[in-house]
Amino acid sequence: MLFTCALLAQLCSFATDSSRIKLIPEPVMLKELQGNFNLNKQVNLVIRGEDKQLKGTAQWFTNQLNAMTGIDIKAGDLGAPNNITLELLTTHNKSIGEEGYTLSVTTSGIHLQANTPAGIFYGMQTLLQMVPLRDTVKSTATRFNIPCAEITDYPRFGWRGLMLDVSRHFFTKEEVKRYIDEMVNYKYNTFHWHLTDDNGWRIEIKSLPELTQKGAWRVERVGRWGTFAPPQPGEAVPYGGFYTQEDIKEVIQYAQERYVTILPEIDVPGHSLSMIVAYPNLSCTQLQYMVGPGDSLRKKNDNVLCIGNDSIFTVLDKVFTEVAALFPNKYIHIGGDEAYKGFWEKCPKCKRRMQTEHLKDVHELQSWFVKRMEKMLLSKNKKLIGWDEILEGGLAPEATVMSWRGMQGGITAARMNHHVVMTPWDFVYLDLYQGEAAAEPPTYGMCRLSDSYNYDPVPDNVDEKYILGGQGNLWTESVNTFRHVQYMTWPRSLALAEVYWSPKSKRNWDDFINRLEAQFPRLDAAGVKYARSAYNAIATPARDKKGELKVSLTTEIKGLDIYYTFDNSDPDPFYPRYNGQPLTFPKGAAQITVVTYRNGKQVGEQFAIKKEELEKRLLQGRHIY
Ligand code: ACM
Ligand code: ZN
């Protein structure tokens, strides 16, 4: 029996509890071996292969190791014992590609090989996850024992991204750098910077200073986004900020040093209120607005560029000339999502454009606009990427589609032989609830950790070669602070890191949770906030044959005990334990209160749900539970 388990564990190479190595994302091949490499003051770092960027990367690694262990490893001689050797291969190892690596840890040394400095960098992320946390091992001599192993690893997708919306709420360049630091620990390589939207223009455009003078500032509101009072005429606009071009260059370089490409997004022709505030003549109504604070009037706001007005292209050319010059990425994201078309239908200039260009409806008008934008970008040697609405009315010839309203846009585009980046909202939108709403800060929708983990970016019957990869997207309407950015990002982006890096055959939820729980103390040590919502109970309403409300309790993470009460008191292990059978509300009970425990220790948050709320969720059809 013992033999079978050990054999199985080795065959599957899933991290069993006896595994000493718990990595995220799971590598392609991991063979755990007996023994340890002892990291101590005598260990040297050796670089084989001349490369300027690799030198910087080695310094980055030395700093990380020092922060974790207090040990300051020095540059050493080739061939000396007790080395960590970083080797840039002179003969290309085809099997690991541009971002892969091999890592060998033996009792006498560590050897990290890759074809590129990026590969070395990803190998370093793996190695750092194998270094024990300072406080977990008490004996000083063996404190930093790194378990012996052989690892071969490379990513499934070349595009592994996270998007941060800095328009709805502004995050400083230091916070953006910190976000990049946190991303790279899990081998993300693309930072999608949502730089403009109705609620703030965040990038300096030198030829159009009004964009940031006027468009970067709004009235201050705190509370529930979407319910705020609209800005009052003459009200002060203290909230906001923007990045100067020097700031942007600094962040680009910072990202490059960490092998991260930045995808800039300028969201047009919709979501353009902050641009229209600066240049009111660019909208169909030409009215003067104020930057939106998250008020309830967004749909009535004229936040869409007037496609019939030629001056939008003069302005956009100036914007995209500067954006193209700043960002080395071959892609620029032009948005294209959720453009309200009601003003175009009534606008004489837009109607004239439709006539002269023989466009049968406003969808074709939008498509005409996107095609013109593509020509503009191509003239600047850039490729266009946009949200999946750019399919409507006809896709621009070389456009890449970012599929967000589910997978369908991506499927359609891939079948037309266009490249696709998958970001279906119900699996990767990091602004959604990550567990029972009663236990979370208010937002909308639901995307649990397991939803993110179990999704696959390549739909059936789609050629994988068109799927460049995917992202997690964090919209920040309800995210006011960087701490909350972290809370919403982690751990769902740990799940997504594995979806985008690891082979699909390695996907295993229970194993992931086992490894995730080894990451939590690392995030704690690094001061990164994360959600523990996956430990919370899930209350699912149903109706029995007699029409009576029933509630079932489950958990995403297996093996937890759920305790509950109907009498408004706080449940604990002395209360009834949920036994898997749907529960009926006792007469008079207005709510159920639940909590989860593991081995007698509370692990999930206690929360209560009213009976009427469960009834409402049943009626709504689309549930938040
Ligand atoms: C989007 O979520 N509007 C792309
Ligand atoms: Zn118009």
Side-chain angles (χ1 to χ4, degrees), residues 271 337-338 387 404 429 475:
H271 288 273
D337 57 320
E338 299 180 309
W387 299 110
W404 75 277
Y429 266 31
W475 303 101

Side-chain angles (χ1 to χ4, degrees), residues 156-159 400-401 403 407 409-415 418-423 455-459 462-470 500:
R156 181 173 171 203
F157 296 102
W159 187 308
T400 298
V401 171
S403 189
M407 310 280 277
I411 295 170
T412 307
R415 296 224 170 112
H418 283 250
H419 283 128
V420 171
V421 176
M422 279 295 183
T423 69
Y455 122 89
D456 197 72
V458 182
V462 163
D463 189 341
E464 179 151 352
K465 79 172 187 231
Y466 292 112
I467 313 295
L468 300 177
Y500 299 135

